[in-house]
Amino acid sequence: MKPSKTLLFLIAVLVSLGTISAIFPKQGVALGELQLYFPTLDDVFAPNENQSTAVTEQMDAMELSLKMRRNAQEDAAYNDSLQFYLDFFNNHPSRIHLPDANYDYFDALFDAFDNSRAEQKVVRVLHYGDSQIEGDRITGYLRQRLQEKFGGIGPGLLPAVQVVPATSVGQTASENIARYIISGNFASRAGHRRYGVLGQLGVAEGNKSSITVKARNWQQSFENGKTFQKICLFVGHTGTNFQADLSVPKQEAFKATISKPDLPVNVLQWNLPDSISQFTLNLYGRGEIYGIAADGMSGVAVDNIPFRGSSGTFFTQMDSTVLKAMFDELNAQLILLEFGGNMTPSITNNKAVEAYQKTMSKQIAYLKNLCPQAKIILIGPADMSTKIHGELQTYPYLEKTIAALREAALNNNVAFWNMYEVMGGHNSMIKWVKNAPSLAATDYIHFNAKGAERIAELFYESLAIYYDYYHFVDKKRPKTKEVAMKTEAKDLKKTLHELSEEEKDAILEQNLKRLRQQRENNSAPNEP
């Protein structure tokens, strides 16, 4: 065949393929049980977003950016530091979205963190989530960092019966302790709604039952979670004369009894002279076990509360009396809600997005009402991939679902962290899987251990920015406050030491309003 005819033939083929591509339905054509697709021109000529797999470098750069900028603020001028914080709060992908742009949202939490050791209190962080946090993933790393910063030891709250092993401690329980859990793939509901803050309970039957907790020596375990000094048993609906004793190797048993059995939740507490790495609780009589706290005497406790297969829509189904009693006893100051992944595959239209938003909004409002002292951060789902036209891509409605969850959080005056955006957004999960070393499982849904640690570090560093800002406002601004006061004092025709406390407070309030106005101006959209 002549070259000219060959060229004409190829052109005719390309024109034919282009015509088919233009008219072929994007949703494909059903052929029996098969669905046939034809690539569009965009598919053919669009650049492949998944070619770059250097996620490690991207995450390293983000972490280094956060750490370097935090350190730089120590020597920066006030205005430069303020501008840094405003830029981070409004533009950084790892920022925490705050209700009404209230940058003081975490002040009470950080105050509790700072004073926990001096006041000999345990400040509790409850981390709820789906299988993404199972086995203490993400939570364990966050716990280690917070306890290194603010003090505290121990793995936090543990269920009576642990189905999925944690990294720091292992558990065994008597066969006569029945386990009930309200939600998820392991769901086995009790005939009532008394689940406690763990969303599960163990029911001890018979004359005697026992629960043993022992530190693990796994390579991936975190050291701070391996020892404990204060043990608390949360029980309710006990039988007559229910009692428990704490058995520690090479020590005599410590007995405890219930003084007010009519309370919705009773707390049996053992404060030990030294930290331990193993104990056994022996229970005598019937009782509902809502949890076991293995903590230090002060500092921060971080609880890992996973529900495999759950979408986080179960809180309103739990008894409010038991929940509130436990929240109060635990001194819960921060609640993390990490959900959305399990709902994503079933969301195929805008109505489903709106329905999930409304349901999650109810959960947030319910928790706020029962635990008003706690700050809440709703953490959106990670990127997730499914095959579309035979190619792995981000789930079609994932971004709309994340936007709806953000709106649900902010409308309920709680915070939101966009894990999807931190990962890199659209199709980022593919890159996390293909990265060397891999940071996610080949199901293109879950982080592996390395990926969980990276995302936990980014969350911690982001929260640390707000902690630094809390101290920046509290410590650095006074120097600027004094300059501002002197200026204002001149306007009042007084020297600084002649100002009354009321006048000083008024000046400070005026400067605070200016600061807030500057925030609003920086965050306002540009005029068209």
Side-chain angles (χ1 to χ4, degrees):
M1 184 180 289
K2 293 182 179 180
S4 58
K5 290 185 177 180
T6 302
L7 179 61
L8 288 173
F9 173 77
L10 292 175
I11 291 173
V13 170
L14 291 173
V15 170
S16 299
L17 291 174
T19 302
I20 296 172
S21 177
I23 64 175
F24 203 89
K26 288 186 178 182
Q27 68 272 21
V29 174
L31 185 62
E33 296 182 356
L34 298 176
Q35 190 79 6
L36 300 180
Y37 298 97
F38 199 86
T40 66
L41 294 176
D42 288 341
D43 294 333
V44 174
F45 294 108
N48 187 350
E49 296 180 358
N50 302 329
Q51 288 180 348
S52 174
T53 60
V55 175
T56 299
E57 287 81 356
Q58 296 173 21
M59 295 301 104
D60 285 347
M62 188 179 292
E63 288 180 19
L64 185 61
S65 161
L66 293 173
K67 293 174 182 177
M68 288 181 64
R69 290 185 178 188
R70 284 181 58 205
N71 293 336
Q73 301 319 301
E74 296 179 3
D75 300 317
Y78 174 81
N79 288 338
D80 292 339
S81 293
L82 178 61
Q83 190 59 52
F84 157 77
Y85 288 118
L86 292 173
D87 288 343
F88 178 85
F89 295 157
N90 293 310
N91 303 314
H92 200 280
S94 190
R95 69 195 182 279
I96 299 174
H97 301 253
L98 299 172
D100 298 323
N102 177 16
Y103 307 136
D104 303 326
Y105 178 76
F106 294 115
D107 281 8
L109 171 68
F110 295 147
D111 183 69
F113 281 169
D114 281 347
N115 293 309
S116 60
R117 281 180 280 201
E119 296 178 356
Q120 284 294 289
K121 288 183 178 179
V122 174
V123 176
R124 192 162 299 275
V125 177
L126 297 100
H127 187 187
Y128 292 95
D130 50 29
S131 54
Q132 199 71 271
I133 71 168
E134 205 170 54
D136 218 22
R137 289 182 304 153
I138 301 179
T139 312
Y141 186 88
L142 182 61
R143 179 190 302 118
Q144 182 73 16
R145 294 300 305 273
L146 287 172
Q147 290 180 341
E148 288 172 349
K149 177 73 175 178
F150 301 107
I153 56 174
L157 266 179
L158 304 169
V161 180
Q162 183 68 275
V163 176
V164 179
T167 56
S168 297
V169 296
Q171 287 179 243
T172 58
S174 300
E175 292 184 357
N176 61 335
I177 299 179
R179 175 181 182 266
Y180 300 95
I181 183 167
I182 193 167
S183 183
N185 293 351
F186 296 126
S188 175
R189 296 204 172 199
H192 53 76
R193 300 173 62 197
R194 300 185 300 272
Y195 291 94
V197 301
L198 290 178
Q200 62 175 290
L201 75 153
V203 179
E205 300 281 5
N207 294 327
K208 182 181 178 181
S209 53
S210 63
I211 302 166
T212 297
V213 177
K214 184 178 181 179
R216 293 186 185 277
N217 291 317
W218 287 3
Q219 184 177 359
Q220 294 178 338
S221 60
F222 295 100
E223 292 300 316
N224 275 37
K226 294 182 180 180
T227 57
F228 10 90
Q229 193 173 357
K230 180 167 70 173
I231 312 300
C232 295
L233 174 67
F234 296 85
V235 295
H237 280 256
T238 57
T240 306
N241 299 323
F242 177 90
Q243 64 178 15
D245 65 52
L246 180 76
S247 176
V248 178
K250 300 180 180 180
Q251 297 186 34
E252 293 185 6
F254 304 87
K255 293 184 179 181
T257 57
I258 292 174
S259 58
K260 297 180 179 179
D262 294 334
L263 293 176
V265 177
N266 277 277
V267 184
L268 302 182
Q269 181 171 313
W270 295 267
N271 295 337
L272 304 174
D274 301 296
S275 60
I276 58 173
S277 59
Q278 178 181 344
F279 66 86
T280 296
L281 281 171
N282 296 305
L283 314 176
Y284 303 94
R286 186 189 186 282
E288 294 178 357
I289 306 161
Y290 304 126
I292 303 159
D295 303 320
M297 301 301 293
S298 62
V300 178
V302 184
D303 309 324
N304 176 248
I305 314 176
F307 296 86
R308 182 190 296 185
S310 176
S311 299
T313 59
F314 55 84
F315 292 98
T316 52
Q317 301 169 31
M318 295 195 290
D319 179 79
S320 60
T321 304
V322 173
L323 270 177
K324 179 167 178 53
M326 281 196 72
F327 279 136
D328 291 344
E329 289 285 353
L330 289 167
N331 189 27
Q333 295 292 330
L334 176 62
I335 298 174
L336 306 177
L337 303 174
E338 187 174 332
F339 292 105
N342 287 301
M343 185 62 74
T344 296
S346 64
I347 294 180
T348 57
N349 53 57
N350 290 330
K351 284 187 177 180
V353 173
E354 293 172 5
Y356 187 46
Q357 180 190 45
K358 289 179 181 178
T359 304
M360 286 304 294
S361 182
K362 291 178 182 178
Q363 311 309 307
I364 296 168
Y366 190 67
L367 289 173
K368 280 189 64 180
N369 183 54
L370 297 179
C371 193
Q373 75 275 12
K375 300 302 177 184
I376 298 176
I377 305 176
L378 178 60
I379 299 175
D383 185 36
M384 298 169 56
S385 306
T386 187
K387 283 196 173 183
I388 301 175
H389 301 171
E391 183 180 351
L392 282 168
Q393 298 180 44
T394 293
Y395 272 87
Y397 279 84
L398 180 57
E399 290 187 356
K400 287 188 176 182
T401 301
I402 292 170
L405 290 175
R406 176 183 179 274
E407 185 177 342
L410 299 183
N411 286 347
N412 281 281
N413 293 313
V414 305
F416 180 80
W417 194 62
N418 193 340
M419 185 159 54
Y420 172 84
E421 185 179 9
V422 173
M423 289 179 66
H426 186 72
N427 284 345
S428 56
M429 179 56 81
I430 300 169
K431 299 174 185 178
W432 280 60
V433 173
K434 293 181 178 180
N435 187 72
S438 178
L439 298 173
T442 52
D443 63 0
Y444 293 89
I445 295 174
H446 296 95
F447 299 117
N448 59 21
K450 289 182 181 294
E453 190 168 303
R454 295 309 296 266
I455 207 72
E457 170 67 8
L458 287 166
F459 177 80
Y460 173 80
E461 287 294 336
S462 301
L463 186 64
I465 293 284
Y466 293 86
Y467 177 76
D468 291 346
Y469 174 74
Y470 162 73
H471 280 285
F472 164 75
V473 170
D474 193 45
K475 293 180 179 179
K476 275 204 168 185
R477 195 171 65 195
K479 298 176 183 178
T480 309
K481 284 179 183 178
E482 186 171 343
V483 174
M485 281 189 186
K486 288 180 179 178
T487 303
E488 302 279 352
K490 288 181 180 178
D491 294 338
L492 295 173
K493 298 181 179 181
K494 294 183 180 180
T495 61
L496 181 59
H497 70 271
E498 292 175 329
L499 289 174
S500 68
E501 290 301 315
E502 290 78 14
E503 288 172 324
K504 289 181 180 179
D505 289 341
I507 292 172
L508 292 180
E509 183 60 28
Q510 289 172 7
N511 282 277
L512 185 58
K513 287 181 180 178
R514 290 171 187 168
L515 177 64
R516 288 171 178 162
Q517 184 63 49
Q518 184 175 355
R519 292 174 186 162
E520 293 172 3
N521 293 338
N522 277 272
S523 61
N526 294 327
E527 292 292 330

mmCIF file with all atom_site columns, all heavy atoms in Angstrom, residues 191-203:
data_model
loop_
_atom_site.group_PDB
_atom_site.id
_atom_site.type_symbol
_atom_site.label_atom_id
_atom_site.label_alt_id
_atom_site.label_comp_id
_atom_site.label_asym_id
_atom_site.label_entity_id
_atom_site.label_seq_id
_atom_site.pdbx_PDB_ins_code
_atom_site.Cartn_x
_atom_site.Cartn_y
_atom_site.Cartn_z
_atom_site.occupancy
_atom_site.B_iso_or_equiv
_atom_site.pdbx_formal_charge
_atom_site.auth_seq_id
_atom_site.auth_comp_id
_atom_site.auth_asym_id
_atom_site.auth_atom_id
_atom_site.pdbx_PDB_model_num
ATOM 1  N N   . GLY A 1 191 ? -30.003 -5.433  74.976 1.00 0.00 ? 191 GLY A N   1
ATOM 2  C CA  . GLY A 1 191 ? -31.444 -5.181  75.007 1.00 0.00 ? 191 GLY A CA  1
ATOM 3  C C   . GLY A 1 191 ? -31.790 -3.856  75.638 1.00 0.00 ? 191 GLY A C   1
ATOM 4  O O   . GLY A 1 191 ? -32.915 -3.667  76.115 1.00 0.00 ? 191 GLY A O   1
ATOM 5  N N   . HIS A 1 192 ? -30.845 -2.922  75.658 1.00 0.00 ? 192 HIS A N   1
ATOM 6  C CA  . HIS A 1 192 ? -31.043 -1.589  76.233 1.00 0.00 ? 192 HIS A CA  1
ATOM 7  C C   . HIS A 1 192 ? -30.093 -0.640  75.527 1.00 0.00 ? 192 HIS A C   1
ATOM 8  O O   . HIS A 1 192 ? -29.403 -1.032  74.568 1.00 0.00 ? 192 HIS A O   1
ATOM 9  C CB  . HIS A 1 192 ? -30.776 -1.620  77.755 1.00 0.00 ? 192 HIS A CB  1
ATOM 10 C CG  . HIS A 1 192 ? -29.442 -2.195  78.110 1.00 0.00 ? 192 HIS A CG  1
ATOM 11 N ND1 . HIS A 1 192 ? -28.263 -1.495  77.945 1.00 0.00 ? 192 HIS A ND1 1
ATOM 12 C CD2 . HIS A 1 192 ? -29.082 -3.420  78.598 1.00 0.00 ? 192 HIS A CD2 1
ATOM 13 C CE1 . HIS A 1 192 ? -27.238 -2.242  78.330 1.00 0.00 ? 192 HIS A CE1 1
ATOM 14 N NE2 . HIS A 1 192 ? -27.709 -3.415  78.726 1.00 0.00 ? 192 HIS A NE2 1
ATOM 15 N N   . ARG A 1 193 ? -30.006 0.605   75.982 1.00 0.00 ? 193 ARG A N   1
ATOM 16 C CA  . ARG A 1 193 ? -29.163 1.613   75.319 1.00 0.00 ? 193 ARG A CA  1
ATOM 17 C C   . ARG A 1 193 ? -27.992 2.056   76.179 1.00 0.00 ? 193 ARG A C   1
ATOM 18 O O   . ARG A 1 193 ? -27.327 3.042   75.874 1.00 0.00 ? 193 ARG A O   1
ATOM 19 C CB  . ARG A 1 193 ? -30.030 2.835   74.966 1.00 0.00 ? 193 ARG A CB  1
ATOM 20 C CG  . ARG A 1 193 ? -31.193 2.505   74.031 1.00 0.00 ? 193 ARG A CG  1
ATOM 21 C CD  . ARG A 1 193 ? -32.110 3.708   73.866 1.00 0.00 ? 193 ARG A CD  1
ATOM 22 N NE  . ARG A 1 193 ? -31.422 4.851   73.272 1.00 0.00 ? 193 ARG A NE  1
ATOM 23 C CZ  . ARG A 1 193 ? -31.865 6.094   73.315 1.00 0.00 ? 193 ARG A CZ  1
ATOM 24 N NH1 . ARG A 1 193 ? -33.005 6.374   73.946 1.00 0.00 ? 193 ARG A NH1 1
ATOM 25 N NH2 . ARG A 1 193 ? -31.192 7.073   72.750 1.00 0.00 ? 193 ARG A NH2 1
ATOM 26 N N   . ARG A 1 194 ? -27.687 1.341   77.242 1.00 0.00 ? 194 ARG A N   1
ATOM 27 C CA  . ARG A 1 194 ? -26.626 1.747   78.168 1.00 0.00 ? 194 ARG A CA  1
ATOM 28 C C   . ARG A 1 194 ? -25.271 1.220   77.680 1.00 0.00 ? 194 ARG A C   1
ATOM 29 O O   . ARG A 1 194 ? -24.813 0.156   78.091 1.00 0.00 ? 194 ARG A O   1
ATOM 30 C CB  . ARG A 1 194 ? -26.919 1.210   79.572 1.00 0.00 ? 194 ARG A CB  1
ATOM 31 C CG  . ARG A 1 194 ? -28.227 1.696   80.169 1.00 0.00 ? 194 ARG A CG  1
ATOM 32 C CD  . ARG A 1 194 ? -28.397 1.209   81.609 1.00 0.00 ? 194 ARG A CD  1
ATOM 33 N NE  . ARG A 1 194 ? -28.389 -0.245  81.703 1.00 0.00 ? 194 ARG A NE  1
ATOM 34 C CZ  . ARG A 1 194 ? -29.450 -1.021  81.591 1.00 0.00 ? 194 ARG A CZ  1
ATOM 35 N NH1 . ARG A 1 194 ? -30.647 -0.471  81.353 1.00 0.00 ? 194 ARG A NH1 1
ATOM 36 N NH2 . ARG A 1 194 ? -29.352 -2.330  81.706 1.00 0.00 ? 194 ARG A NH2 1
ATOM 37 N N   . TYR A 1 195 ? -24.614 1.995   76.836 1.00 0.00 ? 195 TYR A N   1
ATOM 38 C CA  . TYR A 1 195 ? -23.329 1.557   76.287 1.00 0.00 ? 195 TYR A CA  1
ATOM 39 C C   . TYR A 1 195 ? -22.132 2.325   76.841 1.00 0.00 ? 195 TYR A C   1
ATOM 40 O O   . TYR A 1 195 ? -21.007 1.856   76.750 1.00 0.00 ? 195 TYR A O   1
ATOM 41 C CB  . TYR A 1 195 ? -23.339 1.686   74.763 1.00 0.00 ? 195 TYR A CB  1
ATOM 42 C CG  . TYR A 1 195 ? -24.264 0.711   74.072 1.00 0.00 ? 195 TYR A CG  1
ATOM 43 C CD1 . TYR A 1 195 ? -25.566 1.081   73.755 1.00 0.00 ? 195 TYR A CD1 1
ATOM 44 C CD2 . TYR A 1 195 ? -23.837 -0.564  73.737 1.00 0.00 ? 195 TYR A CD2 1
ATOM 45 C CE1 . TYR A 1 195 ? -26.424 0.198   73.110 1.00 0.00 ? 195 TYR A CE1 1
ATOM 46 C CE2 . TYR A 1 195 ? -24.674 -1.458  73.092 1.00 0.00 ? 195 TYR A CE2 1
ATOM 47 C CZ  . TYR A 1 195 ? -25.980 -1.074  72.784 1.00 0.00 ? 195 TYR A CZ  1
ATOM 48 O OH  . TYR A 1 195 ? -26.812 -1.952  72.149 1.00 0.00 ? 195 TYR A OH  1
ATOM 49 N N   . GLY A 1 196 ? -22.342 3.506   77.372 1.00 0.00 ? 196 GLY A N   1
ATOM 50 C CA  . GLY A 1 196 ? -21.213 4.298   77.839 1.00 0.00 ? 196 GLY A CA  1
ATOM 51 C C   . GLY A 1 196 ? -20.454 4.929   76.685 1.00 0.00 ? 196 GLY A C   1
ATOM 52 O O   . GLY A 1 196 ? -20.800 4.761   75.512 1.00 0.00 ? 196 GLY A O   1
ATOM 53 N N   . VAL A 1 197 ? -19.403 5.678   76.991 1.00 0.00 ? 197 VAL A N   1
ATOM 54 C CA  . VAL A 1 197 ? -18.712 6.457   75.966 1.00 0.00 ? 197 VAL A CA  1
ATOM 55 C C   . VAL A 1 197 ? -17.983 5.585   74.950 1.00 0.00 ? 197 VAL A C   1
ATOM 56 O O   . VAL A 1 197 ? -17.666 6.044   73.846 1.00 0.00 ? 197 VAL A O   1
ATOM 57 C CB  . VAL A 1 197 ? -17.715 7.461   76.594 1.00 0.00 ? 197 VAL A CB  1
ATOM 58 C CG1 . VAL A 1 197 ? -18.421 8.429   77.519 1.00 0.00 ? 197 VAL A CG1 1
ATOM 59 C CG2 . VAL A 1 197 ? -16.585 6.746   77.295 1.00 0.00 ? 197 VAL A CG2 1
ATOM 60 N N   . LEU A 1 198 ? -17.691 4.333   75.269 1.00 0.00 ? 198 LEU A N   1
ATOM 61 C CA  . LEU A 1 198 ? -17.029 3.454   74.310 1.00 0.00 ? 198 LEU A CA  1
ATOM 62 C C   . LEU A 1 198 ? -17.996 2.878   73.285 1.00 0.00 ? 198 LEU A C   1
ATOM 63 O O   . LEU A 1 198 ? -17.573 2.218   72.331 1.00 0.00 ? 198 LEU A O   1
ATOM 64 C CB  . LEU A 1 198 ? -16.314 2.310   75.034 1.00 0.00 ? 198 LEU A CB  1
ATOM 65 C CG  . LEU A 1 198 ? -15.077 2.686   75.856 1.00 0.00 ? 198 LEU A CG  1
ATOM 66 C CD1 . LEU A 1 198 ? -14.509 1.456   76.549 1.00 0.00 ? 198 LEU A CD1 1
ATOM 67 C CD2 . LEU A 1 198 ? -14.016 3.334   74.978 1.00 0.00 ? 198 LEU A CD2 1
ATOM 68 N N   . GLY A 1 199 ? -19.298 3.089   73.491 1.00 0.00 ? 199 GLY A N   1
ATOM 69 C CA  . GLY A 1 199 ? -20.273 2.520   72.576 1.00 0.00 ? 199 GLY A CA  1
ATOM 70 C C   . GLY A 1 199 ? -20.372 1.016   72.685 1.00 0.00 ? 199 GLY A C   1
ATOM 71 O O   . GLY A 1 199 ? -20.932 0.348   71.813 1.00 0.00 ? 199 GLY A O   1
ATOM 72 N N   . GLN A 1 200 ? -19.845 0.479   73.747 1.00 0.00 ? 200 GLN A N   1
ATOM 73 C CA  . GLN A 1 200 ? -19.925 -0.953  73.988 1.00 0.00 ? 200 GLN A CA  1
ATOM 74 C C   . GLN A 1 200 ? -19.845 -1.224  75.487 1.00 0.00 ? 200 GLN A C   1
ATOM 75 O O   . GLN A 1 200 ? -19.475 -0.346  76.268 1.00 0.00 ? 200 GLN A O   1
ATOM 76 C CB  . GLN A 1 200 ? -18.822 -1.709  73.253 1.00 0.00 ? 200 GLN A CB  1
ATOM 77 C CG  . GLN A 1 200 ? -17.401 -1.354  73.680 1.00 0.00 ? 200 GLN A CG  1
ATOM 78 C CD  . GLN A 1 200 ? -16.379 -2.239  72.985 1.00 0.00 ? 200 GLN A CD  1
ATOM 79 O OE1 . GLN A 1 200 ? -16.270 -3.429  73.265 1.00 0.00 ? 200 GLN A OE1 1
ATOM 80 N NE2 . GLN A 1 200 ? -15.640 -1.651  72.049 1.00 0.00 ? 200 GLN A NE2 1
ATOM 81 N N   . LEU A 1 201 ? -20.189 -2.413  75.883 1.00 0.00 ? 201 LEU A N   1
ATOM 82 C CA  . LEU A 1 201 ? -20.099 -2.794  77.283 1.00 0.00 ? 201 LEU A CA  1
ATOM 83 C C   . LEU A 1 201 ? -19.860 -4.291  77.382 1.00 0.00 ? 201 LEU A C   1
ATOM 84 O O   . LEU A 1 201 ? -20.125 -5.055  76.450 1.00 0.00 ? 201 LEU A O   1
ATOM 85 C CB  . LEU A 1 201 ? -21.365 -2.426  78.048 1.00 0.00 ? 201 LEU A CB  1
ATOM 86 C CG  . LEU A 1 201 ? -22.616 -3.296  77.823 1.00 0.00 ? 201 LEU A CG  1
ATOM 87 C CD1 . LEU A 1 201 ? -23.501 -3.254  79.054 1.00 0.00 ? 201 LEU A CD1 1
ATOM 88 C CD2 . LEU A 1 201 ? -23.398 -2.819  76.612 1.00 0.00 ? 201 LEU A CD2 1
ATOM 89 N N   . GLY A 1 202 ? -19.325 -4.689  78.529 1.00 0.00 ? 202 GLY A N   1
ATOM 90 C CA  . GLY A 1 202 ? -19.213 -6.095  78.862 1.00 0.00 ? 202 GLY A CA  1
ATOM 91 C C   . GLY A 1 202 ? -20.110 -6.378  80.055 1.00 0.00 ? 202 GLY A C   1
ATOM 92 O O   . GLY A 1 202 ? -20.151 -5.590  81.009 1.00 0.00 ? 202 GLY A O   1
ATOM 93 N N   . VAL A 1 203 ? -20.843 -7.464  79.993 1.00 0.00 ? 203 VAL A N   1
ATOM 94 C CA  . VAL A 1 203 ? -21.724 -7.839  81.098 1.00 0.00 ? 203 VAL A CA  1
ATOM 95 C C   . VAL A 1 203 ? -21.121 -9.040  81.806 1.00 0.00 ? 203 VAL A C   1
ATOM 96 O O   . VAL A 1 203 ? -21.000 -10.132 81.226 1.00 0.00 ? 203 VAL A O   1
ATOM 97 C CB  . VAL A 1 203 ? -23.142 -8.166  80.604 1.00 0.00 ? 203 VAL A CB  1
ATOM 98 C CG1 . VAL A 1 203 ? -24.024 -8.574  81.792 1.00 0.00 ? 203 VAL A CG1 1
ATOM 99 C CG2 . VAL A 1 203 ? -23.748 -6.963  79.893 1.00 0.00 ? 203 VAL A CG2 1
#
